[in-house]
């Protein structure tokens, strides 16, 4: 049994969390009982009992046949509570609106979670171009502007060895390639994602340095078809200004509890 901070892990609680994370990661692909039992290496009977308990509490849902399982509505309610209670998210939201109004493009706020970025807020483009990034979604940090802006705030020695997962032909898949890009991010002061996470989309990411190292970042995503050198210059100028405003509004510590 593993330990954290000298306290033994509760096996049943760990299994419940692993199941919920597995179902959440599957998105719109429901799973069958045997799939879940195999994935978590638990007896089918134990998995069935756990699923029925979570269904009764609203954390898992099942179809009319009782053979398919997916994440339940209580996961959404808990996630919404997280966003509503976070002072940084509340402080940044008005500036996302300002950036969206100024640029007419999709604006995101994300937070580093391990080696992933969790999307905490999004303002859609006025012309609405659907991308894969939505509130609550997690993406590997090496794939996009938000993640690279935050990775650049850390030492290259902290990067995983690789190879890394590729979303497009432009994704960095080696530690050496990513480290070279992060060096450019540090010199430039912001990250650029040229179709590395989503085909046809370029992103510009800006770390919010009210924490050290930065945990949060904002980005602007724009279709390649609308991106000219003049447009890129405008986006960078506006996003830099927005970052300055956010950092001046949310001082170091930000009045927030320092969660671990």
């Amino acid at each position: 049994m593993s330990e954290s901070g000298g306290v033994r892990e509760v096996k049943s609680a760990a299994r419940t969390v692993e199941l919920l994370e597995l179902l959440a990661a599957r998105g719109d692909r429901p799973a069958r009982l045997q799939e879940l039992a195999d994935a978590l290496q638990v007896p089918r009977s134990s998995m069935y009992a756990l699923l029925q308990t979570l269904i009764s509490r609203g954390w898992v849902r099942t179809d009319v046949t009782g053979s398919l399982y997916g994440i339940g509505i209580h996961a959404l309610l808990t996630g919404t509570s997280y966003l509503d209670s976070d002072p940084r998210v509340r402080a940044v939201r008005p500036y996302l609106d300002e950036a969206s109004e100024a640029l007419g493009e999709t604006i995101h706020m994300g937070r580093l979670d391990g080696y992933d970025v969790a999307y905490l807020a999004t303002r859609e483009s006025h012309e609405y171009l659907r991308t894969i990034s939505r509130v609550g979604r997690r993406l590997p940090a090496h794939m996009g502007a938000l993640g690279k802006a935050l990775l650049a705030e850390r030492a290259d020695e902290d990067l995983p060895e690789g190879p890394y997962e590729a979303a497009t032909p432009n994704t960095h898949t080696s530690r050496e390639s990513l480290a070279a890009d992060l060096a450019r991010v540090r010199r430039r002061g912001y990250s650029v994602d040229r179709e590395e996470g989503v085909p046809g989309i370029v992103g510009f990411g800006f770390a919010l340095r009210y924490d050290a190292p930065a945990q949060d970042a904002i980005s602007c995503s724009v279709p390649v078809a609308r991106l000219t050198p003049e447009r890129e210059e405008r986006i960078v100028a506006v996003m830099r200004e927005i970052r300055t405003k956010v950092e001046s509004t949310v001082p170091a510590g930000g009045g927030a509890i320092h969660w671990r």
Side-chain angles (χ1 to χ4, degrees), residues 29-236:
R29 296 179 297 112
R32 296 186 180 276
L33 173 60
Q34 193 62 55
E35 290 181 271
L36 297 172
D38 292 343
L40 297 185
Q41 297 182 326
V42 300
R44 181 184 174 98
S45 58
S46 298
M47 177 57 66
Y48 180 78
L50 178 55
L51 285 167
Q52 295 308 307
T53 299
L54 293 173
I55 289 170
S56 70
R57 301 298 182 95
W59 285 91
V60 171
R61 57 181 172 172
T62 187
D63 70 332
V64 293
T65 69
S67 61
L68 296 175
Y69 301 93
I71 197 71
I73 194 169
H74 276 217
L76 169 63
L77 300 177
T78 300
T80 300
S81 176
Y82 175 91
L83 295 176
D84 291 343
S85 66
D86 191 290
R88 267 73 179 282
V89 177
R90 290 200 305 269
V92 172
R93 279 172 176 159
Y95 297 104
L96 302 184
D97 294 335
E98 183 177 339
S100 177
E101 287 297 321
L103 295 171
E105 304 293 353
T106 299
I107 311 296
H108 298 295
M109 176 189 182
R111 179 166 296 162
L112 197 64
D113 180 22
Y115 192 57
D116 292 336
V117 168
Y119 284 75
L120 303 181
T122 292
R123 299 294 182 267
E124 293 289 352
S125 166
H126 296 174
E127 300 187 31
Y128 191 72
L129 180 74
R130 186 176 179 85
T131 67
I132 66 168
S133 303
R134 287 292 181 273
V135 173
R137 185 179 293 274
R138 291 161 56 98
L139 291 177
H142 70 278
M143 286 184 180
L146 286 172
K148 292 197 299 178
L150 292 168
L151 292 178
E153 298 289 305
R154 291 154 175 80
D156 289 344
E157 290 74 18
D158 295 337
L159 295 174
E161 287 297 331
Y164 307 145
E165 177 186 357
T168 77
N170 294 338
T171 306
H172 293 289
T173 57
S174 72
R175 182 175 181 174
E176 294 73 21
S177 174
L178 179 59
D181 192 4
L182 297 182
R184 292 189 289 271
V185 173
R186 296 181 189 110
R187 291 194 298 269
R188 192 191 299 124
Y190 62 93
S191 66
V192 182
D193 155 23
R194 297 193 186 277
E195 300 185 81
E196 296 164 32
V198 182
I201 298 294
V202 177
F204 302 88
F206 299 76
L208 299 175
R209 298 178 178 127
Y210 41 63
D211 287 315
Q215 299 295 320
D216 299 341
I218 56 175
S219 72
C220 176
S221 298
V222 57
V224 172
R226 289 209 295 270
L227 189 62
T228 63
E230 295 76 18
R231 183 65 175 155
E232 181 168 333
E233 183 177 348
R234 167 70 173 160
I235 289 170
V236 170

